[in-house]
Amino acid sequence: MGSIEEEKLVQMVHDFIELESSEPIFSVLTNSRPLNDQTKYLTTLQEILKRGSIGESEVVEDVAKHMRNKMEADKSTCLKKWLVKCLKRDGHLASLCRTSWVTAFGPGQYEYIDIIMQEDHGVSVRLIIDIDFKSQFELARPTPTYAELTNTLPSIFVGDENKLSRIVSLLCSAAEQSLRERGLHIPPWRRTAYMHSKWLSHCHKAPSATSFRSTKCVRVSSNKFSKWTPPKVKPKGKNLGGGSGLTTQFSNMGINCR
C-alpha cells in the first residue's frame, strides 16, 4: 500500500475515533486501538461480527431456517410479518418494529424485527433482526477497501444494539472516506447519526396477532399494520341495484400483499 493511501487510512480512523468520542450515545470503540492498515480495519469488523451469545446463535439458526428459500424475495412488510410469526412459533418473543425520525431534509422511516430474550441471570436482552441489512450500506463506485468491508457484512443481521452500533459506526466512517476518495458528495442520509436512527431511535411495535393462522396483509389508509378479516356479506335484496355487498366492500379495500 502506498504511503499516501496509508496516510488517508490513518486519518480516516483518526476522524472516526474523534467522531465517536463526540457522540457519547454511540461511543462504541473506546477500547479499539488505532487501525493503521486495511487488514486491521477489516479484522476489526470480522471480530465484531463473530461475537455473540448462545441465544443469539440459536436465533441465527432459526432465521436462516425460515429465510433459506426467500433470500431473493422482496423484503416487504408482509415478509417481515411472516418471519415474525415463524419466530413466534419457534418460541421467541418477536415483534415487527418501525422507527421514524425527523431530519433537516425530511422524515425517515425504517422497519426491522426484534426479539426480547431472557438471559440466565434474569436480564432481558434485545436482539435486532434485519433481513435487508447489507443493502443499507451499498455505495456507488466504492473503493476496493470499502467494497471488501461491505462484502464481509451478512445479508441478514442478528445481534444486540451494541454490536449493531459498532458495525454502523465503522461502516459509516468507511463510507464517508470512500465517497471522499471518489470525489463524491457525502449525502446526509449516509452520516452516522442518520444511519443509527434506522435501528436505534424510538420504535413502534406492530400489534401482536391473536393466533398463528394464515393471514393476509392489506394496505390501509392510516399506514398502520392491520390483520385481514373477511368482509361481512349482506344478503342481496330484490330491489337492490349494482353489485353485492361483498363486491362493494372488496372494491373499497387496499391492495393485498402476496
Side-chain angles (χ1 to χ4, degrees):
M1 180 182 294
S3 59
I4 296 178
E5 288 184 326
E6 289 180 354
E7 290 178 1
K8 287 183 178 180
L9 185 57
V10 171
Q11 184 61 44
M12 177 186 70
V13 176
H14 178 71
D15 293 342
F16 169 63
I17 294 174
E18 286 190 341
L19 174 64
E20 294 307 305
S21 62
S22 66
E23 299 180 9
I25 190 171
F26 298 128
S27 59
V28 294
L29 295 179
T30 54
N31 296 324
S32 298
R33 292 173 295 180
L35 306 173
N36 54 19
D37 58 50
Q38 177 180 340
T39 302
K40 287 186 178 180
Y41 201 33
L42 181 61
T43 300
T44 299
L45 177 59
Q46 292 171 333
E47 290 177 351
I48 295 173
L49 289 171
K50 73 181 181 181
R51 293 176 183 173
S53 64
I54 296 177
E56 181 178 321
S57 299
E58 293 175 352
V59 174
V60 170
E61 292 179 2
D62 288 339
V63 172
K65 172 183 63 179
H66 298 304
M67 293 295 297
R68 184 172 295 111
N69 298 323
K70 296 185 178 294
M71 295 304 297
E72 302 301 323
D74 181 37
K75 307 306 185 294
S76 63
T77 296
C78 285
L79 180 60
K80 294 167 191 165
K81 293 181 74 173
W82 171 83
L83 181 57
V84 167
K85 291 197 300 178
C86 293
L87 292 172
K88 285 184 175 180
R89 290 193 186 101
D90 293 333
H92 299 295
L93 186 59
S95 301
L96 179 59
C97 302
R98 173 174 289 171
T99 54
S100 58
W101 61 97
V102 178
T103 66
F105 57 91
Q109 192 175 72
Y110 197 68
E111 286 182 347
Y112 60 88
I113 296 169
D114 79 352
I115 286 179
I116 305 300
M117 301 190 66
Q118 294 292 334
E119 297 290 337
D120 294 337
H121 49 282
V123 177
S124 298
V125 177
R126 181 174 184 252
L127 295 182
I128 293 175
I129 303 170
D130 191 334
I131 62 176
D132 196 24
F133 185 69
K134 187 175 183 177
S135 67
Q136 304 306 311
F137 299 92
E138 293 177 351
L139 287 182
R141 297 170 54 199
T143 60
T145 299
Y146 186 76
E148 188 172 6
L149 287 173
T150 54
N151 288 337
T152 305
L153 291 175
S155 297
I156 299 177
F157 173 83
V158 178
D160 60 23
E161 294 179 346
N162 178 63
K163 182 177 183 178
L164 176 63
S165 181
R166 296 181 69 191
I167 293 173
V168 172
S169 297
L170 189 66
L171 266 294
C172 285
S173 177
E176 291 183 11
Q177 181 65 22
S178 177
L179 290 167
R180 289 193 190 100
E181 291 185 14
R182 294 301 193 192
L184 300 174
H185 173 69
I186 302 174
W189 54 88
R190 286 296 184 182
R191 301 287 184 178
T192 305
Y194 185 94
M195 293 294 287
H196 270 127
S197 296
K198 288 188 175 184
W199 300 277
L200 302 178
S201 56
H202 179 71
C203 73
H204 301 276
K205 295 191 176 184
S208 300
T210 56
S211 69
F212 294 130
R213 290 179 297 177
S214 176
T215 60
K216 295 182 180 179
C217 305
V218 296
R219 184 181 302 164
V220 292
S221 58
S222 60
N223 202 30
K224 295 181 180 179
F225 302 114
S226 174
K227 180 180 178 181
W228 184 86
T229 55
K232 296 180 180 179
V233 181
K234 296 181 180 179
K236 184 185 293 186
K238 294 182 179 180
N239 297 324
L240 293 179
S244 67
L246 179 61
T247 302
T248 302
Q249 293 191 49
F250 269 123
S251 66
N252 292 331
M253 290 175 60
I255 301 174
N256 286 339
C257 302
R258 299 188 183 275

